[in-house]
Amino acid sequence: MRIGELAEQAGTSARALRYYEQQGLLSARRTSNGYRDYDEEDLRLVREIRALLEIGFNLEDTRPFVECIREGHSSGAECPASVEVLTRRLAEIDDYIVRLRRIRATIVKELG
């Protein structure tokens, strides 16, 4: 499939796909006329990247998940490097929740 088709099916833009390619997260094959050519595996990778970005991961955090899928795993979260990212992200979220609870308690105290 061409870049426009992949973008549409993955719910993103061609510009984002070119950026993912530039960052080494996506590899396009080229047709004889120079067009980028993608397959279902590429669609799966882009969907994984998009899902992680939507829940607050940064683009670099998606790299271990993409590599895990490329290695043939059914989920990007099956590899040690991915689990490490998930564990780190969970700790960050837990810290954020603690800070938010403190802020909330302060505001409740001020109210009354």
Side-chain angles (χ1 to χ4, degrees):
M1 76 184 84
R2 299 213 350 228
I3 194 167
E5 296 170 89
L6 178 61
E8 184 177 331
Q9 288 187 34
T12 191
S13 66
R15 182 177 179 189
L17 297 177
R18 286 189 291 273
Y19 183 69
Y20 300 161
E21 185 178 343
Q22 179 185 7
Q23 297 303 308
L25 294 168
L26 191 62
S27 300
R29 290 153 303 285
R30 296 288 181 155
T31 61
S32 59
N33 58 5
Y35 290 124
R36 288 174 170 88
D37 185 43
Y38 301 96
D39 60 20
E40 292 299 318
E41 183 69 13
D42 297 314
L43 177 58
R44 185 170 169 229
L45 291 174
V46 173
R47 285 181 173 160
E48 181 84 3
I49 293 167
R50 300 293 306 156
L52 291 166
L53 292 174
E54 286 177 16
I55 61 171
F57 285 68
N58 65 46
L59 196 57
E60 190 58 33
D61 285 339
T62 69
R63 191 172 304 281
F65 295 86
V66 168
E67 291 170 1
C68 191
I69 289 173
R70 280 189 181 141
E71 291 171 4
H73 296 275
S74 60
S75 167
E78 293 179 5
C79 296
S82 303
V83 172
E84 183 179 316
V85 171
L86 290 169
T87 302
R88 178 179 45 83
R89 187 69 176 124
L90 186 58
E92 291 169 359
I93 291 168
D94 288 342
D95 289 344
Y96 190 59
I97 290 170
V98 168
R99 287 195 318 262
L100 286 174
R101 284 187 176 146
R102 285 186 196 137
I103 292 167
R104 186 182 190 285
T106 302
I107 291 171
V108 166
K109 184 178 176 182
E110 290 295 322
L111 286 173

